[in-house]
Amino acid sequence: IYWYDEEREGYAERFNTETCPDVCIPIMESIEKMLPGDQLYVGSEAWNHHAGVGVQFNNTEKVDKAISKRYGQPKDLSDYLKTAQVLGYESWRAMYEAHNRNFPKATGIIGWMHNSPWPSLIWQLYDYYLNPTGAFFGTKKACEPLHIQYSYDDHSIWIINNELKSYPDSKVFIKIYNSDLTEKLSKDLTVNIKKEKRERIFTLPAINNLSVVYFLKLSIEKNQIVKSTQLYWLTTNKDIFTGEHFWYYSPLKTHADMSLIRKMPGAHVDVVSNVQRINNTYYATVKITNSGDYLAFFIWIKLYNKSTKKIIAPVFWSDNCVSLFPGESIQIKGVIPADFTDGDIIVKTEGWNC
C-alpha cells in the first residue's frame, strides 16, 4: 500500500531516481556461498557484514520484522529465505505497478538496484552470483508490456498497454477465491485494449465472508492465448502506518496478516522438462501442471549441473515463481549461455506447498 499512499514521502509520483522496498535477500544457494558454515544464520556477524553501510542498513532487522509480522515466524533459515522471496516479489511488483498506474503523475522510477557488485543481502534484483531474487520476477511481471494489475488502495483493476499495438475484443477474467478456493467473485469482461494506453476497467466490490487471506486472479486473453496473468495474495487485515516519516523507511503500527499462507494444504504438480543444446546455447522448456486439489503456490524453477550438483546461473526465464490452480498448466522457457555450464542439466521445482 505504501506506493499508493499519498501521505508517504516516496509514493508513486514524479520521477523517483533511487528507491526500492529493500527486500532482496538471496536464495539459499547464494547464501551458502556467501557465509561460512558457523555464521549461516540470520543476524550473525558475517550476515550483517553483507548488509549495508551505516546504522540504517547494517543489518536486516526491518526485513526480518516484516517477514515475521506479515507471514509468521520462519522456523529456520531455509523457511526465512523462502518467505523473503515471496515478500520481495509482492513488494517490488507493487512498486512498479503503482508507477504504471499513476503515469503521467509518476513519470518514472529507477529501482535501487539492478545487481550487486559483491555478495550482498540488500539492494539487488539478482545477486553477485547471478541468481535472481523473488524481487526480480515480481519486477519482470509488473514491467511486462501488456499488463493487468490490481491497485492496493482503491481495489481497482487496470490494464497497462505499453505496446504499439491494440488488442480489440480482448477477454478479461477477474476471480476471487477464499483460502479454501471457494469462489467469491467471477467477472468476465470484453475490453478494447488501445495501444499505449492505461485504463481502469473494473473496481472490486465489497465482498462478504472473505477469509483472512484470499486470492485474486486476473488474466487477459486474446484469441484464447493468455497475454497477461496475475495472482495476488491479499488479506482482510491491512497495513497501518505509524505516521512517522524517515528518509529511508516508513514504520508500520500494524502489519497485514498473511500468516495463514503457512497453513496452506499441500499441492502436487507434474513437471515435464526438456533441455537441448543448439550451438553455444542451452534451451530449457518446462511444463508444470497442478494435478492436485489445492493451489500450488509460488513455484520456482531452478537448473542444476548434474555432475557438480551446483545451481546454474544465469538462466533467462520467460517466467518464474508461478502459482497454479488445480488443473492449470503453464509452459516456461529458459535460455542458458553454454559458457556458464557444461554437462547434463537437471531441472528442479520448489514450491511453497508442493
Side-chain angles (χ1 to χ4, degrees), residues 89 132-142 300 315 317 319-321:
Y89 185 105
T133 65
F136 175 90
F137 293 112
T139 296
K140 177 178 170 64
K141 181 65 77 170
W300 195 311
V315 180
W317 292 109
D319 201 356
N320 215 330
C321 300

Side-chain angles (χ1 to χ4, degrees), residues 155-170:
H155 313 296
S156 58
I157 308 299
W158 287 68
I159 291 178
I160 312 296
N161 185 13
N162 288 316
E163 294 188 8
L164 299 175
K165 179 181 179 181
S166 298
Y167 292 88
D169 299 321
S170 294

Side-chain angles (χ1 to χ4, degrees), residues 137-295:
F137 293 112
T139 296
K140 177 178 170 64
K141 181 65 77 170
C143 295
E144 61 186 355
L146 176 60
H147 182 67
I148 187 168
Q149 65 180 59
Y150 165 75
S151 297
Y152 285 87
D153 58 343
D154 61 6
H155 313 296
S156 58
I157 308 299
W158 287 68
I159 291 178
I160 312 296
N161 185 13
N162 288 316
E163 294 188 8
L164 299 175
K165 179 181 179 181
S166 298
Y167 292 88
D169 299 321
S170 294
K171 303 299 181 184
V172 173
F173 303 97
I174 302 168
K175 295 183 181 295
I176 290 178
Y177 299 91
N178 266 348
S179 58
D180 63 0
L181 301 192
T182 302
E183 188 177 276
K184 300 296 291 183
L185 174 75
S186 180
K187 185 72 174 180
D188 300 347
L189 304 172
T190 300
V191 180
N192 292 318
I193 302 174
K194 299 177 182 179
K195 65 180 181 180
E196 297 184 287
K197 295 290 184 182
R198 61 208 66 238
E199 180 182 3
R200 179 200 298 254
I201 60 165
F202 189 69
T203 298
L204 299 178
I207 300 174
N208 295 325
N209 301 317
L210 281 174
S211 53
V212 174
V213 174
Y214 59 99
F215 302 103
L216 169 64
K217 183 182 179 183
L218 308 174
S219 58
I220 301 172
E221 291 187 12
K222 177 64 177 176
N223 298 328
Q224 298 184 322
I225 297 174
V226 176
K227 307 299 291 185
S228 176
T229 184
Q230 302 286 323
L231 180 73
Y232 296 86
W233 42 104
L234 303 170
T235 176
T236 55
N237 297 317
K238 306 302 181 184
D239 289 317
I240 300 175
F241 291 94
T242 64
E244 296 177 283
H245 297 282
F246 300 93
W247 69 266
Y248 56 97
Y249 89 118
S250 290
L252 289 172
K253 179 169 62 177
T254 303
H255 289 73
D257 183 6
M258 295 280 189
S259 58
L260 279 178
I261 282 185
R262 292 201 178 278
K263 300 179 181 179
M264 275 187 176
H268 185 272
V269 296
D270 298 322
V271 180
V272 178
S273 62
N274 177 63
V275 180
Q276 60 178 327
R277 179 171 180 168
I278 301 176
N279 298 323
N280 292 320
T281 305
Y282 287 93
Y283 297 90
T285 302
V286 184
K287 182 180 180 181
I288 308 173
T289 301
N290 184 348
S291 56
D293 299 322
Y294 194 74
L295 175 71

Side-chain angles (χ1 to χ4, degrees), residues 28-46:
M28 179 65 85
E29 289 85 350
S30 293
I31 293 292
E32 289 177 336
K33 289 182 179 181
M34 187 186 307
L35 304 180
D38 63 345
Q39 295 282 302
L40 205 58
Y41 59 91
V42 177
S44 70
E45 183 179 358

